[in-house]
Amino acid sequence: MHRGPKTAVAAISAALTLLAGSCSTDTTPQVDTQAEASTIPEAFTKLPSTRAVGDCAPGSGVTAQDGVITIATDSPSYRPWFVDGDPSNGKGYEGAVAREVVEKLGYSPDQVHFETVDFNAALAAGEKDFDFAIDQFTIVDTRRETVDFSSPYYAVTQSVLALKNSPAARAKSLADLAPFRLGAQVGSTSFDAIAQTVQPRQAPVSFATTDDAKAALAAGDIDALVVDIPTGFQITANEVKDSVLVGQFPRPNAVTEFFGLVLEKNSPLTACVSAAVDSLYADGTLDALAAEWITDTGGAHVLD
């Protein structure tokens, strides 16, 4: 199916409905099989019971540093998620979402601190020096063994990029990609999607960063690169010369495709942050931010 930014965010409606039903029972609710609820990962039924947004305001004592909320992102940061490499400026989709969340929680800009944390380190088990991390973290049930996730703030699919003169650029289906050498950032669901959805004949190549993966694509060291589709549009438009977006993965697929904020396991902030995200969905803010910052993905070819 095709979704632009607005409908990608609107797909979260089914997830939020399911979440509301899960707060009072350990049994996964029945869902309308005609709805898009089939794309909801099981993890969405495991959030803690809801707290009010104001329960985590400055002075509540629930943040790592009282009176300050600390947000983690990886570096470098990219459009359309952040702008000018500065997550604190409130620009880009995730930069704007982060700002809206902390405002909902009652923190002013001078009470917000950003720090750089590696993508995989943010997902690792153990105590965190940050209150939440935002960096295109897909909600996957196995990750919940080590961290908490907020309610979802964006629904996304993966895309495939190739150099325009590469045979991989002519792929029309996932099966057409099977002969090629594919790569993605290590630890990402883009990398998981190669094995689980494309199932290539060659072992996928992992890279420490998306920058490394882009360089490998430009140098011809891999035939195609897998990234989330908003990032894919940005790379082909501005970052890797002569690259093209071959297509997007079908929805649903074997890998869940909802982004959530990452928090320390059993964080007292999790329910507050989820409530803030839920309210941003309910009042239309997430739709508005997606329309402002994210390219419409509806016209991208679906690799069925």
Side-chain angles (χ1 to χ4, degrees):
M1 73 188 76
H2 297 263
R3 294 187 193 137
K6 183 178 177 68
T7 51
V9 175
I12 295 171
S13 175
L16 298 180
T17 300
L18 183 55
L19 279 172
S22 71
C23 291
S24 59
T25 178
D26 292 329
T27 303
T28 303
Q30 297 297 312
V31 296
D32 182 357
T33 57
Q34 300 303 310
E36 293 177 323
S38 61
T39 63
I40 299 170
E42 181 185 354
F44 287 3
T45 67
K46 298 180 180 178
L47 287 176
S49 58
T50 304
R51 297 178 70 184
V53 173
D55 291 346
C56 299
S60 60
V62 298
T63 55
Q65 180 181 349
D66 196 26
V68 175
I69 193 160
T70 303
I71 303 173
T73 62
D74 203 350
S75 180
S77 56
Y78 309 95
R79 285 177 176 267
W81 310 110
F82 303 100
V83 174
D84 297 330
D86 180 9
S88 68
N89 64 15
K91 297 180 180 179
Y93 182 70
E94 290 191 321
V97 167
R99 175 164 290 186
E100 293 286 348
V101 167
V102 296
E103 287 183 359
K104 287 284 186 183
L105 295 174
Y107 292 81
S108 61
D110 62 353
Q111 294 173 304
V112 181
H113 170 70
F114 282 81
E115 65 175 42
T116 300
V117 177
D118 175 79
F119 181 92
N120 289 304
L123 292 169
E127 294 184 2
K128 309 296 184 187
D129 293 329
F130 59 81
D131 295 305
F132 70 79
I134 182 167
D135 193 23
Q136 304 108 68
F137 295 105
T138 300
I139 301 172
V140 179
D141 202 33
T142 54
R143 290 177 172 174
R144 298 188 72 94
E145 297 171 5
T146 56
V147 296
D148 281 355
F149 283 98
S150 72
S151 295
Y153 62 86
Y154 190 67
V156 69
T157 192
Q158 300 296 323
S159 65
V160 179
L161 314 184
L163 297 181
K164 66 181 181 182
N165 293 325
S166 165
R170 297 191 287 274
K172 299 299 181 184
S173 67
L174 296 176
D176 290 344
L177 292 168
F180 298 110
R181 188 170 172 83
L182 309 179
Q185 182 177 347
V186 67
S188 67
T189 50
S190 300
F191 187 80
D192 293 341
I194 296 174
Q196 297 181 28
T197 305
V198 179
Q199 300 178 351
R201 297 169 197 162
Q202 302 183 56
V205 183
S206 64
F207 298 92
T209 69
T210 301
D211 272 349
D212 293 339
K214 291 185 295 186
L217 178 65
D221 294 334
I222 55 174
D223 298 309
L225 169 64
V226 178
V227 293
D228 62 77
I229 194 167
T231 299
F233 277 115
Q234 175 65 22
I235 290 172
T236 55
N238 302 299
E239 298 178 22
V240 177
K241 183 179 179 181
D242 295 329
S243 63
V244 294
L245 195 145
V246 179
Q248 62 179 309
F249 283 32
R251 312 181 201 220
N253 58 59
V255 179
T256 58
E257 301 292 344
F258 291 84
F259 291 164
L261 307 176
V262 166
L263 302 93
E264 184 177 308
K265 185 69 176 175
N266 298 321
S267 169
L269 270 168
T270 301
C272 294
V273 169
S274 290
V277 173
D278 293 349
S279 68
L280 294 173
Y281 168 76
D283 67 15
T285 298
L286 294 181
D287 282 339
L289 295 179
E292 179 178 1
W293 293 109
I294 299 179
T295 302
D296 192 324
T297 65
H301 173 72
V302 177
L303 297 162
D304 53 19

